[in-house]
Amino acid sequence: MKTRTFLTGCLLAFAAALQAQNLVGGDLSMLPKYEAASVNYYDMQGNRIGEMLPFLRDEAGFNAVRVRLFVNPTGATGVVQDLDYVKTLARRVKEAGMQLMLDFHYSDTWADPSNQWTPDAWKTLSDDALAQQVYDYTRDCLQQLKAAGATPDYVQTGNEISYGMLWGPKGTGSPKKCYTNNDANWSRFRTLLGKAIEACREECPAAKVIIHTERTANWSATKGIYERLASVDYDIIGLSYYPEWHNNLSTLKTTLQNLKTTFAGKPVMIVETGYYNNWYPQNASYNFTSTWPASAAGQKKFLDDLVALIKDMDHIKGLLYWFPEENPYNNRVYEPWYNHGLFDPSTGKAVEALFSMKDLGWSSGVDAVAATPDEPSTVLHTLDGRRVNASRQLPRGVYVQGSRKVIVR
């Protein structure tokens, strides 16, 4: 019993050390589709990359991966991540020793500021029944992920929910949106979030809950959203920042500084960012091609400038790039070409921007945990406390051995 108690303390300390890291990484939700199509990725020297997750971890400094989840995905471009898909990818993330951020869309398709439509299977539910369904669905997904060895470390209860979530069936004439200058639908929104977070706290009590919005260019709106959600039990403010929609770095800096002052104690993560490596969209709200050309060089300069802005802001705890694995070279996996990826579309080689986030200096390592004195050196434990024998071939993953961590690759 004494050994078990000691080991439990070690594992909790190990997990806490992992979660105390600032996150560097990206949303890699399409990676399995590229792999299934045998798409080749190359390093900057033209050598084929065997396994992407270890490459990103060891070469690009990624310590976290974000994965989106749809209820019943439509199968349209990029909307393919059902629970079975996510369980498989998420387990790989954990086995690679990386942090997992689960992004619930609570939708059958993209959930963003313009689209927060209720899944078809839920569209006839009353508000009370819908809240219960959100709880049941969230709880079931987390239970299945835990059983698959893929417990999330961070959970987004909604994606870019600046105007609320689960507005009703797509095409409804009176979507239940939330605006900061109007009280309508906010109580409903808080209830839905509360039920989602209740399930998170029950099933994954160590996971940090993120509320993700994207009014980054509008401080008044951002402030109004999080003020109205003050009674909700969440941990981290998550933001999207794309300069073509959210303006320049000065605007971002103002929002980030104001968040620190106004919502003291709430860490902030930029959970989505990116920039163009080729053509620039004509419908963009802002054109920064004179500052950051739509090219590999401009993409790197954008990320370098962003990293320089946030690296010394102590309340910023994460930076994740959206869709770095995009690789249109000689394939049609994702159409239309989104043009944000960190691989050259003409060669499939990694571009310099892929390595820019390493300059944040946020360690991808963890502090060693204390040893259990009476354990032989061949004994390892998984992070959930299972004892395994180091003399046998082990699955890839992170293990605790005596006073150190062991990564099996």
Side-chain angles (χ1 to χ4, degrees), residues 202-271:
E202 291 176 1
E203 294 300 326
C204 299
K208 300 297 185 184
V209 174
I210 300 169
I211 293 183
H212 173 205
T213 63
E214 53 61 66
R215 297 288 85 190
T216 314
N218 185 332
W219 165 242
S220 177
T222 298
K223 178 174 180 283
I225 293 166
Y226 289 102
E227 283 180 337
R228 286 180 174 271
L229 298 179
S231 63
V232 176
D233 175 28
Y234 73 99
D235 302 298
I236 296 169
I237 292 171
L239 301 176
S240 292
Y241 174 66
Y242 298 101
E244 66 271 25
W245 309 119
H246 301 129
N247 211 339
N248 54 29
L249 288 177
S250 178
T251 301
L252 173 64
K253 183 178 180 180
T254 295
T255 296
L256 294 178
Q257 289 177 330
N258 287 343
L259 284 170
K260 180 177 183 178
T261 302
T262 308
F263 302 98
K266 290 291 186 187
V268 177
M269 290 186 178
I270 298 174
V271 297

Side-chain angles (χ1 to χ4, degrees), residues 3 6 370-376:
T3 298
F6 191 88
T372 304
D374 55 350
E375 296 272 44

Side-chain angles (χ1 to χ4, degrees), residues 10-32:
C10 290
L11 293 172
L12 289 173
F14 186 83
L18 278 171
Q19 201 172 67
Q21 298 171 348
N22 292 349
L23 300 192
V24 179
D27 187 311
L28 298 170
S29 299
M30 282 297 290
L31 180 61

